[in-house]
Amino acid sequence: MVIPDEKIEEIARVIAKSSNLVAFSGAGVSAESEIPTFRDPGGLWDRYDPSQIATTGGLSSLAASRPNIVRQFLQEMLETFEKARPNPGHFALAELEKMGILRSVITQNIDNLHREAGNSYVIEVHGNIYRLRCMGCGEKYMRSREDFSRLLREFLSTPEDSGLADLISHLPKCEKCGNITRPDVVMFGEPVQDFDLAATGARNCDVMLVLGTSGVVYPAASVPVQAKQSGAEIIDINPTQSTFHNIADYIIIEKTGVALPIIVKRVKDIM
Ligand code: OAD
Ligand code: ZN
């Protein structure tokens, strides 16, 4: 799809004159990094039941009753995350930060790709897959991509009936209190992270880029609504219909990896 020049120009001007631009992103931003989204056809929730794989209770019973499904899921995660790298959409956002325009990225993604692309202020409301959290004292440990792959590989090479306890036992213990750690990601039913920071970012921004999210998971999906209620202009970029179209001032029906580089290039020309 070709985005009309006038639309690029109009949106680039809104961004260029913004004094506090914030981005809110979802799985769609990483789709061009070959990380499957959740709710698109063929997405993760087409193939796995979120009530089993994405809740702590569901996951432990699934690991006990059908460990092969958990292994298949983890194998898929290993292959996906090992090869995933930031795409032109992520890099365009990093460029906007370098230009002094973008203040923060509030993301539902756990893939670390915004940071890897160069954004320095990233609020990860659903956590980060490369980070471990102590289940005793709450201390957090950021691990490298290589460490993450090694730990998953080690677990996947254990006997086929190993359960979640075996997986957890493969993770390093807390250096402060010696307790077990777990991946620092938010499962359904668990509290989101840094939501006060996200809400403050939303309330204070004057323009919000809403990127590649279906907007159905709360409380994260309330972030653009809070921005709108505080007077921000909303720019929604998504190749399909988004739930935010009713609050959006500007809509671009396109992939973020295509639209963002074009817009950012135009912003640079204007500045
Ligand atoms: P979804 O899978 O619900 O939505 C993905 C969105 O990305 C859809 O609106 C697609 O149209 C759009 N999309 C697809 N390809 C795209 C592309 N190349 N460029 C831009 N957009 C594209 O993912 P999220 O909205 O992120 O939470 O889902 C929110 C939460 O639901 C996730 O953080 C996760 C999930 O369950 C937890 O697990 C707690
Ligand atoms: Zn600890």
Side-chain angles (χ1 to χ4, degrees):
M1 187 172 305
V2 179
I3 315 168
D5 280 347
E6 316 81 76
K7 195 157 204 178
I8 298 288
E9 182 69 22
E10 188 183 28
I11 290 175
R13 287 195 180 280
V14 171
I15 292 175
K17 74 167 175 27
S18 162
S19 59
N20 189 334
L21 177 73
V22 168
F24 175 69
S25 71
V29 170
S30 295
E32 288 148 279
S33 298
E34 287 174 54
I35 300 180
T37 63
F38 298 94
R39 296 175 183 79
D40 286 306
L44 220 53
W45 296 160
D46 255 5
R47 289 175 288 123
Y48 296 96
D49 177 352
S51 71
Q52 289 185 331
I53 212 91
T55 65
T56 46
L59 190 58
S60 14
S61 19
L62 189 64
S65 60
R66 301 179 68 191
N68 58 319
I69 298 194
V70 176
R71 278 175 173 271
Q72 183 194 322
F73 178 75
L74 294 176
Q75 180 69 40
E76 192 178 322
M77 278 187 52
L78 172 65
E79 287 164 16
T80 302
F81 284 101
E82 253 186 346
K83 64 179 183 353
R85 294 291 180 275
N87 66 57
H90 294 108
F91 287 122
L93 291 177
E95 195 62 36
L96 277 177
E97 180 183 308
K98 269 196 219 111
M99 292 162 73
I101 301 176
L102 184 67
R103 296 288 183 88
S104 63
V105 179
I106 303 168
T107 188
Q108 300 163 91
N109 300 345
I110 59 169
D111 56 30
N112 204 45
L113 293 181
H114 286 300
R115 290 183 198 278
E116 221 177 297
N119 279 111
S120 55
Y121 195 53
V122 184
I123 301 167
E124 296 161 316
V125 292
H126 290 165
N128 185 313
I129 191 71
Y130 297 109
R131 204 165 52 217
L132 294 173
R133 181 175 82 235
C134 171
M135 288 169 82
C137 71
E139 184 73 11
K140 299 191 178 199
Y141 299 93
M142 190 65 190
R143 314 291 298 199
S144 65
R145 181 189 279 279
E146 293 70 30
D147 256 13
F148 168 83
S149 300
R150 183 180 52 76
L151 289 168
L152 260 185
R153 267 185 211 296
E154 273 174 21
F155 172 70
L156 289 166
S157 64
T158 58
E160 301 231 322
D161 57 354
S162 325
L164 271 194
D166 293 286
L167 172 57
I168 293 284
S169 74
H170 274 82
L171 303 177
K173 303 286 176 297
C174 176
E175 289 163 24
K176 277 176 99 181
C177 75
N179 242 299
I180 52 172
T181 59
R182 59 163 270 186
D184 190 26
V185 293
V186 174
M187 311 277 275
F188 281 114
E190 294 187 320
V192 291
Q193 300 184 4
D194 293 334
F195 201 66
D196 46 344
L197 292 177
T200 306
R203 279 196 301 273
N204 292 340
C205 70
D206 61 353
V207 180
M208 179 171 277
L209 293 167
V210 178
L211 308 168
T213 175
S214 60
V216 295
V217 174
Y218 283 83
S222 71
V223 167
V225 179
Q226 292 191 50
K228 179 74 177 181
Q229 284 169 348
S230 306
E233 290 190 284
I234 307 291
I235 301 170
D236 186 274
I237 308 179
N238 194 312
T240 64
Q241 177 77 26
S242 140
T243 49
F244 297 112
H245 280 186
N246 60 334
I247 61 162
D249 300 278
Y250 305 93
I251 292 170
I252 293 195
I253 308 281
E254 183 51 279
K255 294 175 177 178
T256 43
V258 173
L260 283 171
I262 300 174
I263 294 169
V264 172
K265 182 174 180 300
R266 191 71 201 111
V267 174
K268 269 189 175 164
D269 293 344
I270 295 170
M271 302 278 291

